[in-house]
Amino acid sequence: MKAWPNQLFIDGKWVDGSAGRTWDVMNPATGKVLAAVAIAEAEDVDRAVLAARRAFDEGPWPRLDALVRGRMLYQLAQKIRERLDDFAMTDTLNVGKPIRDTRGFDVPCAADLFESYAGLPDKIAGKCYGTLPDNVTMQFREPMGVIAAIVPWNFPLTNLAIKLAPILACGNTVVLKPSEVSPLSALMVAELAQEVGFPEGVINVIHGTGAETGTPLIRHRGIDKITFTGRHQTGVQMLEAAKIGMKGVMLELGGKTPSLVFPDAPIENVVNGVITGIFFNLGQVCVAGSRLLVHESQHADLLERIVAKVKSLRQGDPTDPNIQLGCLANPQHLATVKRYVDVAKSEGARCVLTGPVPTTTENCFFPPTIFDGVKAPMTIAREEVFGPVLSVLTYRDEAEAVRIANDCDFGLMANIWSTDGTRALRVARQLKAGRITINGGGALRPNVPVFGYKLSGIGAELGYEETVHEYTSSKAVIYSLSTEKSPWPE
Ligand code: NAD
């Protein structure tokens, strides 16, 4: 694999940060430095926004034939596929994800997103209103402007593609800030965009912490819209910053997904589904199924099966294709997960499965952990741990299951397990979440929008119609066919 780019990508050029400072990007499995990447200070942020502004106001990108725009997105998708191994190894080394997941999910999913949105530009259409006989009113959807896209570290490449593909398809320019924890795959995408020939300033990638780089970016007056994925506490700061210049905002935030298992559910499917739901990517997933709601008659049996199966999972070196569980993405996050486990114990939840917890920050391996006897008011049932920690709660009847599931500030996703279709749909209609799965599934699809209820977000990510709504501006053009003078001043 060739060396990772380690500079900022601004206005089509690779540059160092103005203060010459760098940030050590780590491998959380070993505690070793992978690369020293340039930090963007406020001055660099300003340069990136101005470059994107110029590219939008004066450059060819928003004015290109829509088919040409789509073709470039398609080429980017193909280049990502060609470098599957490099991207997979990069994110595996950078955030401790098992290589089988980065190869099998993260990279193909990112390429799919660019490929899928390559088909959107020439489908963006306006409307025509013909309510008056002597008047034609047209509504155009036009590229919106300069978008600030800020993403987290849990799926570095996929999160980036979820933002960039729709933004670019709609003809906007972008300043992307990946997480300071995981900038490497974003910089690789910038390299590929350069090879494809995206015009200068259309894609800018700046790197640095939220405070140093993110804050000047979201407060910049040259930005038209902020699109953010991350914690809801950070989302609140986005809303504050959006007031400056009345920017648009789209927020994709945290979750606390309940999995409601009904007694008629196919038990072996439930076991696999629940385990995948919470332990895939070591629970560092916004839709992680962190709350298992099981009927009290089925509780002992289901818990026993889940514990037995989780014990058979292999955790270890993320680059080993035979392991299913890697490590947490960074030492700060390891400390957060540990803290939540301690709080759960102190509040009376019963730990029925865990393993050796690391005592140093040199590697971030955290074992799958299961708490039984969890009650809805406990912290572990309410706050997002974003780690491999499953809370098991029991219910007595359907109404109580729904009540417990909804008794939470988040509403990103919910899972239902039942072979009674009427019951499953009845419950789905009552749950307060933007995405509901019934008997499994739920993988990200480029054409299906993601909404968050409650603290889980504002606006929609993905979905073609929703994308056009989020990333284009609407303009009405009213054309009078009348030859008569306006009667009013007479
Ligand atoms: P985070 O909010 O700490 O950081 C996310 C990004 O925001 C990073 O790039 C960070 O540098 C930046 N940032 C932080 N403070 C900022 C500020 N003041 N101004 C500008 N930028 C700032 O989140 P995280 O810990 O990186 O990611 C985990 C969170 O992301 C979880 O809550 C998870 O649920 C959420 N997430 C949500 C979705 C979704 O689709 N809803 C998907 C993935 C992750």
Side-chain angles (χ1 to χ4, degrees):
M1 184 164 62
K2 69 183 218 189
W4 289 297
N6 60 358
Q7 292 176 292
L8 312 172
F9 187 65
I10 298 177
D11 207 10
K13 294 164 200 72
W14 292 97
V15 293
D16 289 326
S18 51
R21 291 167 56 228
T22 59
W23 168 276
D24 285 344
V25 175
M26 311 293 291
N27 177 342
T30 62
K32 298 215 166 83
V33 176
L34 289 172
V37 177
I39 295 176
E41 320 272 334
E43 195 182 321
D44 308 303
V45 173
D46 189 47
R47 276 195 295 145
V49 175
L50 293 181
R53 189 77 264 162
R54 247 188 336 270
F56 186 81
D57 293 338
E58 300 159 27
W61 184 249
R63 296 158 194 88
L64 272 184
D65 178 339
L67 282 175
V68 177
R69 224 160 52 209
R71 208 171 294 138
M72 292 177 83
L73 287 174
Y74 187 78
Q75 286 167 9
L76 186 56
Q78 300 321 306
K79 284 193 177 283
I80 291 173
R81 280 197 210 289
E82 282 161 20
R83 291 195 60 194
L84 182 139
D85 287 335
D86 291 350
F87 274 109
M89 188 53 83
T90 298
D91 278 356
T92 286
L93 292 174
N94 196 174
V95 291
K97 278 169 171 292
I99 189 78
R100 68 180 227 164
D101 295 343
T102 49
R103 278 188 60 91
F105 177 79
D106 294 55
V107 185
C109 189
D112 287 350
L113 282 156
F114 282 109
E115 202 167 278
S116 174
Y117 281 82
L120 180 64
D122 70 323
K123 320 288 185 306
I124 298 173
K127 287 184 190 164
C128 195
Y129 301 86
T131 36
L132 294 174
D134 57 355
N135 171 306
V136 177
T137 299
M138 294 157 275
Q139 183 189 9
F140 292 88
R141 304 288 332 190
E142 299 184 339
M144 182 174 269
V146 177
I147 314 291
I150 300 174
V151 291
W153 42 257
N154 61 332
F155 291 86
L157 180 65
T158 318
N159 281 330
L160 161 170
I162 291 173
K163 296 292 186 202
L164 288 198
I167 289 172
L168 295 170
C170 289
N172 301 292
T173 62
V174 63
V175 180
L176 171 76
K177 194 198 91 58
S179 167
E180 61 275 25
V181 173
S182 58
L184 300 178
S185 46
L187 295 168
M188 287 167 68
V189 168
E191 251 180 2
L192 297 186
Q194 213 176 6
E195 284 176 25
V196 169
F198 280 83
E200 287 171 0
V202 171
I203 301 173
N204 303 274
V205 182
I206 55 175
H207 165 255
T209 62
E212 277 183 305
T213 313
T215 302
L217 174 60
I218 59 179
R219 296 174 70 88
H220 202 292
R221 284 186 176 271
I223 296 292
D224 295 298
K225 180 158 188 165
I226 301 168
T227 176
F228 169 74
T229 302
R231 293 177 307 124
H232 82 272
Q233 294 91 335
T234 320
V236 172
Q237 297 181 45
M238 303 292 144
L239 289 175
E240 285 295 322
K243 290 194 284 196
I244 305 162
M246 283 290 171
K247 303 174 184 84
V249 192
M250 196 242 269
L251 304 177
E252 294 299 323
L253 309 175
K256 192 75 192 171
T257 297
S259 299
L260 294 79
V261 180
F262 291 100
D264 56 27
I267 192 91
E268 281 308 322
N269 292 3
V270 173
V271 171
N272 273 11
V274 168
I275 291 174
T276 307
I278 182 63
F279 297 121
F280 174 72
N281 204 28
L282 223 53
Q284 301 164 111
V285 183
C286 53
V287 292
S290 51
R291 292 185 292 155
L292 172 61
L293 275 59
V294 55
H295 190 266
E296 47 189 23
S297 67
Q298 204 183 17
H299 161 254
D301 180 36
L302 182 59
L303 185 56
E304 192 182 325
R305 288 172 191 249
I306 289 174
V307 168
K309 186 122 194 188
V310 174
K311 281 183 178 164
S312 72
L313 299 179
R314 295 174 300 277
Q315 184 167 26
D317 176 0
T319 63
D320 176 349
N322 296 312
I323 60 103
Q324 293 121 320
L325 304 172
C327 65
L328 295 172
N330 62 79
Q332 292 73 22
H333 189 51
L334 172 70
T336 304
V337 174
K338 276 187 188 177
R339 204 165 47 243
Y340 272 115
V341 166
D342 291 343
V343 170
K345 288 178 183 162
S346 73
E347 290 182 359
R350 197 163 58 86
C351 188
V352 292
L353 180 75
T354 192
V357 170
T359 48
T360 69
T361 53
E362 272 162 28
N363 67 57
C364 298
F365 291 89
F366 196 92
T369 300
I370 301 179
F371 281 102
D372 191 21
V374 174
K375 303 290 176 220
M378 291 181 182
T379 307
I380 198 75
R382 309 196 76 77
E383 296 187 14
E384 186 186 40
V385 178
F386 217 54
V389 182
L390 176 66
S391 296
V392 183
L393 300 90
T394 56
Y395 68 84
R396 282 182 297 264
D397 56 29
E398 185 183 304
E400 191 182 28
V402 170
R403 190 181 54 70
I404 296 172
N406 285 338
D407 184 9
C408 176
D409 290 335
F410 294 103
L412 198 57
M413 185 159 113
N415 305 313
I416 297 168
W417 292 92
S418 170
T419 47
D420 177 346
T422 306
R423 185 219 296 264
L425 281 178
R426 182 172 62 229
V427 170
R429 294 297 302 271
Q430 295 173 74
L431 292 176
K432 297 194 185 327
R435 190 161 26 146
I436 314 263
T437 75
I438 298 174
N439 297 332
L444 188 82
R445 297 301 308 166
N447 58 335
V448 180
V450 180
F451 294 96
Y453 280 41
K454 304 192 256 185
L455 289 192
S456 291
I458 296 177
E461 189 114 80
L462 303 179
Y464 306 130
E465 224 179 286
E466 290 75 8
T467 285
V468 172
H469 183 76
E470 292 288 349
Y471 291 122
T472 64
S473 299
S474 171
K475 177 187 283 173
V477 175
I478 302 141
Y479 192 143
S480 172
L481 305 177
S482 168
T483 49
E484 287 176 18
K485 288 190 293 183
S486 169
W488 184 78
E490 301 298 332

